[in-house]
Amino acid sequence: MSGKVKGILAVVVLMGIGLGARWMIHDDSAVQESSLSEEETEKKKKINAVYNTENQAEIKEDLEQLKQEQTYTQDNMLIKYNPFGTNTQSLYVYFETENPAQISYTIHVADSSIEDFTRTCYQESEMQTQHELQVIGLIPDMENGITFTIAYEDGTVEEKTVSYEMGSLLGTEKVQLSQEDGESQEALEDGLYVVLGNDSEALDFIYYYDNNGVLRGEVPILGYRSHRLLFEDDKMYYSISESKMAQVDRLGQVTNVYDLGQYKLHHDYVFDDNGDLLILASDSKEDSVEDMVIKLNISTGDVEKVLDLGELFPDYKASCVENTDGELDWMHINTIQWLGDEEVILSSRETSTILKITDLYEEPKVDYMIGVEDFWKDTAYAELLLEKNGEFVSQGGQHAVTYVEDAGLPDGQYYLYMFNNNIGVSQSRPEYDWAEAIENVQSKPYEGTTSMYYKYLVDENAGTYELVDSFDVPYSGYVSSVQDMEHNTVVDSGFAGIFGEYDEEHQLIRQFTMEKEKFIYRVFKYDFEGYYFS
């Protein structure tokens, strides 16, 4: 069967079409942007309504009612465009098969420059008779042919194709990015590049791009940026503004929105072993910013402060001054990594220092620091520095520090890798000369030439760290990320608006360039297995 499903939408009429959804607008500062055009303001209100769980529950109820009205089969599928509003390039699909089957789909458009997009859908069981899916990857402003492949237990296969004419995106990002192939002939890793924090003065989104630089997902958020995607118990978590986190199920329903109250989140978050979220934050009632960690209980929504770095570094904090924005941004924590046993790794951009904190929930203390010895000399904290093992240039203004256990290493040893921005700027200590401390470090964020991927071997037993791997990447004074995958490394150079993938020999396989207003904050690659896909 080939059915024609019509889905051309007016740009500002986004979500819940045909479901009778009652969009409830609740106040949010993100809607009050005076700089937005009338059209953008209307879009903003619609997006704001997406992150209202009462709206979402009503949409879910409407879908359940539709499912009961008739029998849906592979010849008569229930298909709704983006009913929950959380991905403008998606369809909700429901149908039943007489015998257990596994479902995959391929999206095809007439444009020969856009390759087909094929994925196997996640199901609770590999073979089952009920199939409720979120199909992602549709191409805007084109007719999309979606071929469902139904693979039965006995080995037989059936194909059904529907056609869907998709309307426009909410945002203005390119559907196909410009790309450049490098010297490496190695294969790219499976997955989708997720662009986080392509900060905009208008609307803000998370973007999914495939290995050919084709946009496969546009996820609207309230404002600010998302910092990474986290997955736990069949749900996806991400930040949607400076004060809110969202919990979203695999069908796209927003099942919870968490308000952080007096705290403003920034830069990063991670799950602990209890399933609570640890979030980097600023306390709006305090005199400093970006120097705290809060804990969000995702079951109750309770928020509590678990770490104030000002209590661990009181003398140093007292010696710092406000920046040009009038803020006391004396640490500027930009990464948190959970090690287990109430231990975390933090990355401080302002001090170009990596911190390990222990006993986080009882009596937090600094276990060690990795940083420039000269920066910390004549302070009470110098004795906390690990010793550098070997001759190499220390990291400067690092981002996306990542903790990696390795079964081949003895206890007490592990790896930390990072995007080494190679920048030395501390507005809270304007008298400090980073150029004297770090060879060839950049002192003007927008005028540098080289940043690096850095990987340290940390030996807690010996109290040392050494550089075991590095390579040059496109320069970015602030922001940016690196991600080691099974074979390759994904690199985002935020100031350049470039992200790419490098092989094990550090040769470029392919890189993509985005149009940006400011920068691309991070790019991580996710396979979405166990969520969208099998």
Side-chain angles (χ1 to χ4, degrees), residues 49-79:
V50 168
Y51 292 101
N52 181 297
T53 53
E54 292 182 27
N55 291 344
Q56 295 284 304
E58 290 174 1
I59 296 167
K60 177 66 172 178
E61 184 179 339
D62 289 341
L63 285 173
E64 290 299 321
Q65 184 174 342
L66 283 174
K67 287 163 59 178
Q68 302 305 315
E69 289 180 355
Q70 60 177 287
T71 299
Y72 293 97
T73 69
Q74 60 267 44
D75 296 317
N76 177 37
M77 298 178 183
L78 172 57
I79 298 177

PDB file of all heavy atoms in Angstrom, residues 49-79:
ATOM      1  N   ALA A  49       4.744  26.278  25.344  1.00  0.00           N
ATOM      2  CA  ALA A  49       3.636  25.382  25.663  1.00  0.00           C
ATOM      3  C   ALA A  49       4.032  23.920  25.564  1.00  0.00           C
ATOM      4  O   ALA A  49       3.431  23.066  26.221  1.00  0.00           O
ATOM      5  CB  ALA A  49       2.455  25.672  24.746  1.00  0.00           C
ATOM      6  N   VAL A  50       5.022  23.623  24.731  1.00  0.00           N
ATOM      7  CA  VAL A  50       5.491  22.240  24.605  1.00  0.00           C
ATOM      8  C   VAL A  50       5.974  21.715  25.954  1.00  0.00           C
ATOM      9  O   VAL A  50       5.736  20.559  26.316  1.00  0.00           O
ATOM     10  CB  VAL A  50       6.635  22.149  23.570  1.00  0.00           C
ATOM     11  CG1 VAL A  50       7.340  20.794  23.640  1.00  0.00           C
ATOM     12  CG2 VAL A  50       6.093  22.388  22.167  1.00  0.00           C
ATOM     13  N   TYR A  51       6.639  22.560  26.726  1.00  0.00           N
ATOM     14  CA  TYR A  51       7.224  22.120  27.986  1.00  0.00           C
ATOM     15  C   TYR A  51       6.277  22.366  29.153  1.00  0.00           C
ATOM     16  O   TYR A  51       6.683  22.790  30.234  1.00  0.00           O
ATOM     17  CB  TYR A  51       8.589  22.776  28.171  1.00  0.00           C
ATOM     18  CG  TYR A  51       9.577  22.237  27.157  1.00  0.00           C
ATOM     19  CD1 TYR A  51       9.895  22.958  26.012  1.00  0.00           C
ATOM     20  CD2 TYR A  51      10.134  20.974  27.311  1.00  0.00           C
ATOM     21  CE1 TYR A  51      10.770  22.441  25.057  1.00  0.00           C
ATOM     22  CE2 TYR A  51      10.994  20.446  26.359  1.00  0.00           C
ATOM     23  CZ  TYR A  51      11.311  21.187  25.238  1.00  0.00           C
ATOM     24  OH  TYR A  51      12.179  20.664  24.295  1.00  0.00           O
ATOM     25  N   ASN A  52       5.007  22.086  28.925  1.00  0.00           N
ATOM     26  CA  ASN A  52       3.969  22.099  29.944  1.00  0.00           C
ATOM     27  C   ASN A  52       3.437  20.672  30.031  1.00  0.00           C
ATOM     28  O   ASN A  52       2.843  20.168  29.077  1.00  0.00           O
ATOM     29  CB  ASN A  52       2.867  23.081  29.557  1.00  0.00           C
ATOM     30  CG  ASN A  52       1.766  23.152  30.591  1.00  0.00           C
ATOM     31  OD1 ASN A  52       1.085  22.167  30.853  1.00  0.00           O
ATOM     32  ND2 ASN A  52       1.579  24.322  31.175  1.00  0.00           N
ATOM     33  N   THR A  53       3.639  20.011  31.155  1.00  0.00           N
ATOM     34  CA  THR A  53       3.304  18.582  31.260  1.00  0.00           C
ATOM     35  C   THR A  53       1.795  18.338  31.223  1.00  0.00           C
ATOM     36  O   THR A  53       1.368  17.246  30.844  1.00  0.00           O
ATOM     37  CB  THR A  53       3.910  17.982  32.531  1.00  0.00           C
ATOM     38  OG1 THR A  53       3.510  18.763  33.673  1.00  0.00           O
ATOM     39  CG2 THR A  53       5.439  17.967  32.447  1.00  0.00           C
ATOM     40  N   GLU A  54       0.984  19.336  31.599  1.00  0.00           N
ATOM     41  CA  GLU A  54      -0.462  19.168  31.471  1.00  0.00           C
ATOM     42  C   GLU A  54      -0.854  19.077  30.000  1.00  0.00           C
ATOM     43  O   GLU A  54      -1.674  18.239  29.604  1.00  0.00           O
ATOM     44  CB  GLU A  54      -1.192  20.322  32.150  1.00  0.00           C
ATOM     45  CG  GLU A  54      -1.051  20.349  33.663  1.00  0.00           C
ATOM     46  CD  GLU A  54      -1.829  21.482  34.288  1.00  0.00           C
ATOM     47  OE1 GLU A  54      -2.841  21.918  33.691  1.00  0.00           O
ATOM     48  OE2 GLU A  54      -1.430  21.944  35.374  1.00  0.00           O
ATOM     49  N   ASN A  55      -0.284  19.945  29.177  1.00  0.00           N
ATOM     50  CA  ASN A  55      -0.515  19.854  27.731  1.00  0.00           C
ATOM     51  C   ASN A  55      -0.114  18.492  27.210  1.00  0.00           C
ATOM     52  O   ASN A  55      -0.834  17.857  26.420  1.00  0.00           O
ATOM     53  CB  ASN A  55       0.303  20.913  26.991  1.00  0.00           C
ATOM     54  CG  ASN A  55      -0.179  22.329  27.237  1.00  0.00           C
ATOM     55  OD1 ASN A  55      -1.281  22.548  27.715  1.00  0.00           O
ATOM     56  ND2 ASN A  55       0.673  23.291  26.907  1.00  0.00           N
ATOM     57  N   GLN A  56       1.057  18.047  27.627  1.00  0.00           N
ATOM     58  CA  GLN A  56       1.603  16.788  27.125  1.00  0.00           C
ATOM     59  C   GLN A  56       0.723  15.599  27.518  1.00  0.00           C
ATOM     60  O   GLN A  56       0.509  14.683  26.720  1.00  0.00           O
ATOM     61  CB  GLN A  56       3.018  16.600  27.660  1.00  0.00           C
ATOM     62  CG  GLN A  56       4.012  17.633  27.153  1.00  0.00           C
ATOM     63  CD  GLN A  56       4.447  17.375  25.723  1.00  0.00           C
ATOM     64  OE1 GLN A  56       4.943  16.308  25.388  1.00  0.00           O
ATOM     65  NE2 GLN A  56       4.263  18.368  24.875  1.00  0.00           N
ATOM     66  N   ALA A  57       0.208  15.625  28.738  1.00  0.00           N
ATOM     67  CA  ALA A  57      -0.662  14.540  29.192  1.00  0.00           C
ATOM     68  C   ALA A  57      -1.955  14.509  28.387  1.00  0.00           C
ATOM     69  O   ALA A  57      -2.487  13.430  28.073  1.00  0.00           O
ATOM     70  CB  ALA A  57      -0.955  14.699  30.681  1.00  0.00           C
ATOM     71  N   GLU A  58      -2.486  15.677  28.034  1.00  0.00           N
ATOM     72  CA  GLU A  58      -3.700  15.737  27.219  1.00  0.00           C
ATOM     73  C   GLU A  58      -3.457  15.166  25.826  1.00  0.00           C
ATOM     74  O   GLU A  58      -4.307  14.457  25.266  1.00  0.00           O
ATOM     75  CB  GLU A  58      -4.182  17.181  27.122  1.00  0.00           C
ATOM     76  CG  GLU A  58      -4.729  17.737  28.427  1.00  0.00           C
ATOM     77  CD  GLU A  58      -5.072  19.214  28.347  1.00  0.00           C
ATOM     78  OE1 GLU A  58      -4.882  19.797  27.238  1.00  0.00           O
ATOM     79  OE2 GLU A  58      -5.519  19.769  29.345  1.00  0.00           O
ATOM     80  N   ILE A  59      -2.298  15.491  25.260  1.00  0.00           N
ATOM     81  CA  ILE A  59      -1.970  14.959  23.930  1.00  0.00           C
ATOM     82  C   ILE A  59      -1.847  13.440  23.987  1.00  0.00           C
ATOM     83  O   ILE A  59      -2.333  12.717  23.104  1.00  0.00           O
ATOM     84  CB  ILE A  59      -0.671  15.594  23.406  1.00  0.00           C
ATOM     85  CG1 ILE A  59      -0.873  17.098  23.199  1.00  0.00           C
ATOM     86  CG2 ILE A  59      -0.224  14.935  22.103  1.00  0.00           C
ATOM     87  CD1 ILE A  59       0.412  17.859  22.991  1.00  0.00           C
ATOM     88  N   LYS A  60      -1.197  12.938  25.027  1.00  0.00           N
ATOM     89  CA  LYS A  60      -1.065  11.488  25.204  1.00  0.00           C
ATOM     90  C   LYS A  60      -2.441  10.845  25.316  1.00  0.00           C
ATOM     91  O   LYS A  60      -2.703   9.791  24.711  1.00  0.00           O
ATOM     92  CB  LYS A  60      -0.239  11.206  26.456  1.00  0.00           C
ATOM     93  CG  LYS A  60      -0.091   9.733  26.793  1.00  0.00           C
ATOM     94  CD  LYS A  60       0.719   8.990  25.747  1.00  0.00           C
ATOM     95  CE  LYS A  60       1.016   7.576  26.212  1.00  0.00           C
ATOM     96  NZ  LYS A  60       1.775   6.804  25.185  1.00  0.00           N
ATOM     97  N   GLU A  61      -3.343  11.464  26.073  1.00  0.00           N
ATOM     98  CA  GLU A  61      -4.701  10.940  26.228  1.00  0.00           C
ATOM     99  C   GLU A  61      -5.435  10.917  24.896  1.00  0.00           C
ATOM    100  O   GLU A  61      -6.141   9.957  24.576  1.00  0.00           O
ATOM    101  CB  GLU A  61      -5.453  11.798  27.247  1.00  0.00           C
ATOM    102  CG  GLU A  61      -6.852  11.300  27.576  1.00  0.00           C
ATOM    103  CD  GLU A  61      -7.536  12.171  28.612  1.00  0.00           C
ATOM    104  OE1 GLU A  61      -6.828  12.896  29.353  1.00  0.00           O
ATOM    105  OE2 GLU A  61      -8.786  12.142  28.675  1.00  0.00           O
ATOM    106  N   ASP A  62      -5.257  11.979  24.102  1.00  0.00           N
ATOM    107  CA  ASP A  62      -5.895  12.023  22.779  1.00  0.00           C
ATOM    108  C   ASP A  62      -5.371  10.902  21.880  1.00  0.00           C
ATOM    109  O   ASP A  62      -6.143  10.284  21.132  1.00  0.00           O
ATOM    110  CB  ASP A  62      -5.638  13.375  22.121  1.00  0.00           C
ATOM    111  CG  ASP A  62      -6.410  14.507  22.792  1.00  0.00           C
ATOM    112  OD1 ASP A  62      -7.383  14.212  23.505  1.00  0.00           O
ATOM    113  OD2 ASP A  62      -6.020  15.674  22.605  1.00  0.00           O
ATOM    114  N   LEU A  63      -4.071  10.654  21.933  1.00  0.00           N
ATOM    115  CA  LEU A  63      -3.501   9.565  21.131  1.00  0.00           C
ATOM    116  C   LEU A  63      -4.053   8.216  21.572  1.00  0.00           C
ATOM    117  O   LEU A  63      -4.383   7.359  20.730  1.00  0.00           O
ATOM    118  CB  LEU A  63      -1.973   9.580  21.242  1.00  0.00           C
ATOM    119  CG  LEU A  63      -1.225  10.668  20.469  1.00  0.00           C
ATOM    120  CD1 LEU A  63       0.250  10.659  20.827  1.00  0.00           C
ATOM    121  CD2 LEU A  63      -1.405  10.507  18.966  1.00  0.00           C
ATOM    122  N   GLU A  64      -4.150   8.019  22.881  1.00  0.00           N
ATOM    123  CA  GLU A  64      -4.674   6.749  23.383  1.00  0.00           C
ATOM    124  C   GLU A  64      -6.117   6.548  22.934  1.00  0.00           C
ATOM    125  O   GLU A  64      -6.528   5.431  22.591  1.00  0.00           O
ATOM    126  CB  GLU A  64      -4.578   6.714  24.908  1.00  0.00           C
ATOM    127  CG  GLU A  64      -3.154   6.596  25.453  1.00  0.00           C
ATOM    128  CD  GLU A  64      -2.461   5.326  24.995  1.00  0.00           C
ATOM    129  OE1 GLU A  64      -3.122   4.257  24.939  1.00  0.00           O
ATOM    130  OE2 GLU A  64      -1.260   5.398  24.684  1.00  0.00           O
ATOM    131  N   GLN A  65      -6.887   7.630  22.919  1.00  0.00           N
ATOM    132  CA  GLN A  65      -8.272   7.541  22.467  1.00  0.00           C
ATOM    133  C   GLN A  65      -8.338   7.185  20.987  1.00  0.00           C
ATOM    134  O   GLN A  65      -9.150   6.339  20.570  1.00  0.00           O
ATOM    135  CB  GLN A  65      -8.986   8.864  22.727  1.00  0.00           C
ATOM    136  CG  GLN A  65     -10.471   8.841  22.378  1.00  0.00           C
ATOM    137  CD  GLN A  65     -11.176  10.122  22.782  1.00  0.00           C
ATOM    138  OE1 GLN A  65     -10.671  10.886  23.593  1.00  0.00           O
ATOM    139  NE2 GLN A  65     -12.347  10.359  22.197  1.00  0.00           N
ATOM    140  N   LEU A  66      -7.466   7.797  20.187  1.00  0.00           N
ATOM    141  CA  LEU A  66      -7.427   7.471  18.761  1.00  0.00           C
ATOM    142  C   LEU A  66      -7.075   6.008  18.530  1.00  0.00           C
ATOM    143  O   LEU A  66      -7.624   5.358  17.628  1.00  0.00           O
ATOM    144  CB  LEU A  66      -6.411   8.368  18.047  1.00  0.00           C
ATOM    145  CG  LEU A  66      -6.835   9.806  17.760  1.00  0.00           C
ATOM    146  CD1 LEU A  66      -5.658  10.594  17.192  1.00  0.00           C
ATOM    147  CD2 LEU A  66      -8.008   9.837  16.786  1.00  0.00           C
ATOM    148  N   LYS A  67      -6.146   5.494  19.329  1.00  0.00           N
ATOM    149  CA  LYS A  67      -5.733   4.093  19.187  1.00  0.00           C
ATOM    150  C   LYS A  67      -6.894   3.130  19.417  1.00  0.00           C
ATOM    151  O   LYS A  67      -6.913   2.027  18.859  1.00  0.00           O
ATOM    152  CB  LYS A  67      -4.591   3.783  20.149  1.00  0.00           C
ATOM    153  CG  LYS A  67      -3.263   4.383  19.747  1.00  0.00           C
ATOM    154  CD  LYS A  67      -2.268   4.415  20.899  1.00  0.00           C
ATOM    155  CE  LYS A  67      -1.959   3.061  21.471  1.00  0.00           C
ATOM    156  NZ  LYS A  67      -0.951   3.128  22.551  1.00  0.00           N
ATOM    157  N   GLN A  68      -7.865   3.563  20.242  1.00  0.00           N
ATOM    158  CA  GLN A  68      -8.976   2.683  20.581  1.00  0.00           C
ATOM    159  C   GLN A  68     -10.138   2.781  19.597  1.00  0.00           C
ATOM    160  O   GLN A  68     -11.048   1.952  19.629  1.00  0.00           O
ATOM    161  CB  GLN A  68      -9.493   3.020  21.988  1.00  0.00           C
ATOM    162  CG  GLN A  68      -8.456   2.911  23.097  1.00  0.00           C
ATOM    163  CD  GLN A  68      -7.805   1.552  23.143  1.00  0.00           C
ATOM    164  OE1 GLN A  68      -8.475   0.521  23.052  1.00  0.00           O
ATOM    165  NE2 GLN A  68      -6.482   1.534  23.292  1.00  0.00           N
ATOM    166  N   GLU A  69     -10.107   3.786  18.742  1.00  0.00           N
ATOM    167  CA  GLU A  69     -11.260   4.017  17.867  1.00  0.00           C
ATOM    168  C   GLU A  69     -11.376   3.024  16.725  1.00  0.00           C
ATOM    169  O   GLU A  69     -12.452   2.812  16.179  1.00  0.00           O
ATOM    170  CB  GLU A  69     -11.208   5.450  17.312  1.00  0.00           C
ATOM    171  CG  GLU A  69     -11.494   6.499  18.373  1.00  0.00           C
ATOM    172  CD  GLU A  69     -11.443   7.920  17.825  1.00  0.00           C
ATOM    173  OE1 GLU A  69     -11.093   8.082  16.623  1.00  0.00           O
ATOM    174  OE2 GLU A  69     -11.735   8.859  18.584  1.00  0.00           O
ATOM    175  N   GLN A  70     -10.247   2.430  16.345  1.00  0.00           N
ATOM    176  CA  GLN A  70     -10.268   1.439  15.276  1.00  0.00           C
ATOM    177  C   GLN A  70      -9.029   0.573  15.362  1.00  0.00           C
ATOM    178  O   GLN A  70      -8.132   0.838  16.163  1.00  0.00           O
ATOM    179  CB  GLN A  70     -10.344   2.114  13.898  1.00  0.00           C
ATOM    180  CG  GLN A  70      -9.184   3.038  13.607  1.00  0.00           C
ATOM    181  CD  GLN A  70      -9.272   3.629  12.215  1.00  0.00           C
ATOM    182  OE1 GLN A  70      -9.030   2.928  11.220  1.00  0.00           O
ATOM    183  NE2 GLN A  70      -9.629   4.915  12.125  1.00  0.00           N
ATOM    184  N   THR A  71      -8.971  -0.429  14.533  1.00  0.00           N
ATOM    185  CA  THR A  71      -7.804  -1.299  14.487  1.00  0.00           C
ATOM    186  C   THR A  71      -6.825  -0.758  13.447  1.00  0.00           C
ATOM    187  O   THR A  71      -7.199  -0.555  12.278  1.00  0.00           O
ATOM    188  CB  THR A  71      -8.197  -2.748  14.122  1.00  0.00           C
ATOM    189  OG1 THR A  71      -9.085  -3.248  15.130  1.00  0.00           O
ATOM    190  CG2 THR A  71      -6.959  -3.630  14.045  1.00  0.00           C
ATOM    191  N   TYR A  72      -5.618  -0.505  13.884  1.00  0.00           N
ATOM    192  CA  TYR A  72      -4.585   0.004  12.978  1.00  0.00           C
ATOM    193  C   TYR A  72      -3.631  -1.131  12.628  1.00  0.00           C
ATOM    194  O   TYR A  72      -3.131  -1.842  13.509  1.00  0.00           O
ATOM    195  CB  TYR A  72      -3.829   1.161  13.630  1.00  0.00           C
ATOM    196  CG  TYR A  72      -4.687   2.385  13.839  1.00  0.00           C
ATOM    197  CD1 TYR A  72      -5.296   2.632  15.065  1.00  0.00           C
ATOM    198  CD2 TYR A  72      -4.913   3.282  12.794  1.00  0.00           C
ATOM    199  CE1 TYR A  72      -6.099   3.745  15.255  1.00  0.00           C
ATOM    200  CE2 TYR A  72      -5.716   4.403  12.969  1.00  0.00           C
ATOM    201  CZ  TYR A  72      -6.301   4.626  14.204  1.00  0.00           C
ATOM    202  OH  TYR A  72      -7.114   5.727  14.386  1.00  0.00           O
ATOM    203  N   THR A  73      -3.406  -1.298  11.329  1.00  0.00           N
ATOM    204  CA  THR A  73      -2.531  -2.356  10.833  1.00  0.00           C
ATOM    205  C   THR A  73      -1.468  -1.748   9.929  1.00  0.00           C
ATOM    206  O   THR A  73      -1.442  -0.535   9.709  1.00  0.00           O
ATOM    207  CB  THR A  73      -3.340  -3.389  10.039  1.00  0.00           C
ATOM    208  OG1 THR A  73      -3.795  -2.775   8.815  1.00  0.00           O
ATOM    209  CG2 THR A  73      -4.522  -3.894  10.848  1.00  0.00           C
ATOM    210  N   GLN A  74      -0.602  -2.605   9.380  1.00  0.00           N
ATOM    211  CA  GLN A  74       0.414  -2.114   8.457  1.00  0.00           C
ATOM    212  C   GLN A  74      -0.210  -1.520   7.192  1.00  0.00           C
ATOM    213  O   GLN A  74       0.426  -0.741   6.477  1.00  0.00           O
ATOM    214  CB  GLN A  74       1.404  -3.229   8.078  1.00  0.00           C
ATOM    215  CG  GLN A  74       0.792  -4.447   7.397  1.00  0.00           C
ATOM    216  CD  GLN A  74       0.448  -5.525   8.400  1.00  0.00           C
ATOM    217  OE1 GLN A  74      -0.096  -5.250   9.465  1.00  0.00           O
ATOM    218  NE2 GLN A  74       0.789  -6.772   8.067  1.00  0.00           N
ATOM    219  N   ASP A  75      -1.472  -1.851   6.930  1.00  0.00           N
ATOM    220  CA  ASP A  75      -2.170  -1.275   5.782  1.00  0.00           C
ATOM    221  C   ASP A  75      -2.992  -0.044   6.160  1.00  0.00           C
ATOM    222  O   ASP A  75      -3.580   0.610   5.296  1.00  0.00           O
ATOM    223  CB  ASP A  75      -3.094  -2.322   5.151  1.00  0.00           C
ATOM    224  CG  ASP A  75      -2.306  -3.492   4.582  1.00  0.00           C
ATOM    225  OD1 ASP A  75      -1.274  -3.235   3.943  1.00  0.00           O
ATOM    226  OD2 ASP A  75      -2.721  -4.642   4.798  1.00  0.00           O
ATOM    227  N   ASN A  76      -3.046   0.259   7.443  1.00  0.00           N
ATOM    228  CA  ASN A  76      -3.847   1.384   7.933  1.00  0.00           C
ATOM    229  C   ASN A  76      -3.203   1.905   9.217  1.00  0.00           C
ATOM    230  O   ASN A  76      -3.696   1.689  10.318  1.00  0.00           O
ATOM    231  CB  ASN A  76      -5.285   0.941   8.190  1.00  0.00           C
ATOM    232  CG  ASN A  76      -6.140   2.050   8.766  1.00  0.00           C
ATOM    233  OD1 ASN A  76      -5.998   3.214   8.399  1.00  0.00           O
ATOM    234  ND2 ASN A  76      -7.014   1.700   9.707  1.00  0.00           N
ATOM    235  N   MET A  77      -2.079   2.596   9.074  1.00  0.00           N
ATOM    236  CA  MET A  77      -1.318   3.049  10.237  1.00  0.00           C
ATOM    237  C   MET A  77      -1.897   4.344  10.801  1.00  0.00           C
ATOM    238  O   MET A  77      -2.417   5.178  10.057  1.00  0.00           O
ATOM    239  CB  MET A  77       0.146   3.291   9.840  1.00  0.00           C
ATOM    240  CG  MET A  77       0.878   2.076   9.358  1.00  0.00           C
ATOM    241  SD  MET A  77       2.585   2.515   8.875  1.00  0.00           S
ATOM    242  CE  MET A  77       3.185   0.929   8.277  1.00  0.00           C
ATOM    243  N   LEU A  78      -1.802   4.488  12.103  1.00  0.00           N
ATOM    244  CA  LEU A  78      -2.098   5.764  12.748  1.00  0.00           C
ATOM    245  C   LEU A  78      -0.825   6.597  12.707  1.00  0.00           C
ATOM    246  O   LEU A  78       0.188   6.241  13.315  1.00  0.00           O
ATOM    247  CB  LEU A  78      -2.534   5.550  14.203  1.00  0.00           C
ATOM    248  CG  LEU A  78      -2.691   6.808  15.076  1.00  0.00           C
ATOM    249  CD1 LEU A  78      -3.694   7.788  14.465  1.00  0.00           C
ATOM    250  CD2 LEU A  78      -3.090   6.433  16.496  1.00  0.00           C
ATOM    251  N   ILE A  79      -0.864   7.706  11.970  1.00  0.00           N
ATOM    252  CA  ILE A  79       0.316   8.546  11.788  1.00  0.00           C
ATOM    253  C   ILE A  79      -0.046   9.989  12.117  1.00  0.00           C
ATOM    254  O   ILE A  79      -1.001  10.540  11.560  1.00  0.00           O
ATOM    255  CB  ILE A  79       0.854   8.455  10.341  1.00  0.00           C
ATOM    256  CG1 ILE A  79       1.282   7.023  10.016  1.00  0.00           C
ATOM    257  CG2 ILE A  79       2.028   9.416  10.150  1.00  0.00           C
ATOM    258  CD1 ILE A  79       1.759   6.826   8.586  1.00  0.00           C
TER     259      ILE A  79
END
